[in-house]
Amino acid sequence: YIPVYLFLTTFCNNYYFPGPHKNIDKLLLILYQLIKGYSTHQMNDFINDTTYYRIYEKLYIKNDKDLEKWIDDIKYNNIEFNFNEDNFIYPIRKQKNIDLNKDEEIFNYQLGGYRSRIETYFSDISKTFKRFDPYKNIRVTKLKTYNLQLKLACLLLNIKKFIELGNIEPTDLHKKWADDDFDYP
């Protein structure tokens, strides 16, 4: 509940997305597409695919810089969740024909112990967000959009994991978005 609530109330309530439905319903469809891995055309079962594409385009293409900034703000500036660079670590990738320096080798060696945790994380992403299932064929027209979707999925999954680690119980406020009559606060 809390990751979805955070996304809906701290980012999405600043924008109007085109279409005949309530704004919250349109944004829940964006998250639903990430979770189910549906194409824009497959979303036609829930909303006209032309309308859905206008919502998709406004979020990922027209407001991509705002969404990127929101993700960075959550990652780096949110005192409540205490996110910082330590929460986002990845190995240094060796470039073709260029050796890693000694510090980079040591870093990768020390980080190597986390490999199974990292692989588990990617497994969790693909289980939670079918859009990133390695066995699912998806058509990507813009790599930037796909990367933004992946960042959003990672952020929401990280928030979920931190909530579980902290044994934080969602309050009634965090569950409000699931109510039929919910509107942004």
Side-chain angles (χ1 to χ4, degrees):
Y1 288 104
I2 296 174
V4 173
Y5 177 81
L6 184 66
F7 175 67
L8 292 174
T9 59
T10 62
F11 179 76
C12 297
N13 69 335
N14 297 321
Y15 300 95
Y16 171 76
F17 293 90
H21 306 284
K22 288 172 48 176
N23 226 24
I24 186 167
D25 295 334
K26 294 179 263 188
L27 275 294
L28 287 172
L29 286 172
I30 288 284
L31 295 178
Y32 188 75
Q33 182 193 27
L34 280 178
I35 291 168
K36 291 296 188 179
Y38 290 163
S39 68
T40 304
H41 181 70
Q42 289 172 307
M43 294 303 290
N44 196 40
D45 292 343
F46 309 100
I47 187 172
N48 177 284
D49 58 349
T50 306
T51 302
Y52 183 77
Y53 183 76
R54 289 195 332 238
I55 298 164
Y56 177 95
E57 179 183 47
K58 183 162 184 179
L59 179 67
Y60 291 123
I61 298 169
K62 293 180 181 171
N63 293 317
D64 61 333
K65 288 184 176 76
D66 291 343
L67 183 56
E68 187 91 40
K69 183 183 179 315
W70 178 79
I71 291 170
D72 286 344
D73 285 348
I74 296 290
K75 283 183 352 189
Y76 302 116
N77 300 327
N78 195 316
I79 295 167
E80 181 180 344
F81 288 108
N82 227 0
F83 289 129
N84 60 46
E85 280 293 330
D86 296 334
N87 300 113
F88 303 92
I89 296 177
Y90 50 90
I92 298 168
R93 186 174 183 182
K94 182 183 178 305
Q95 295 180 12
K96 192 174 186 177
N97 300 323
I98 299 175
D99 291 334
L100 296 175
N101 67 37
K102 187 154 182 83
D103 289 336
E104 291 170 334
E105 285 179 4
I106 291 170
F107 178 80
N108 279 356
Y109 177 76
Q110 291 172 338
L111 194 59
Y114 293 106
R115 182 178 176 140
S116 65
R117 289 172 74 186
I118 292 169
E119 290 172 356
T120 300
Y121 188 80
F122 281 108
S123 173
D124 289 348
I125 287 175
S126 69
K127 285 179 194 167
T128 306
F129 300 97
K130 298 297 183 213
R131 175 107 174 125
F132 306 106
D133 186 334
Y135 302 109
K136 184 169 180 61
N137 292 327
I138 60 165
R139 183 173 167 234
V140 177
T141 55
K142 293 188 178 189
L143 188 58
K144 184 176 181 180
T145 300
Y146 181 83
N147 286 336
L148 194 53
Q149 291 171 335
L150 181 60
K151 286 180 182 181
L152 178 59
C154 288
L155 178 67
L156 293 173
L157 190 58
N158 278 337
I159 292 170
K160 179 183 175 209
K161 287 183 179 284
F162 283 118
I163 289 166
E164 289 168 357
L165 284 171
N167 292 323
I168 300 170
E169 290 296 321
T171 65
D172 289 340
L173 179 65
H174 297 122
K175 297 176 184 179
K176 277 265 192 219
W177 65 265
D179 294 343
D180 287 337
D181 62 345
F182 178 80
D183 203 357
Y184 297 104

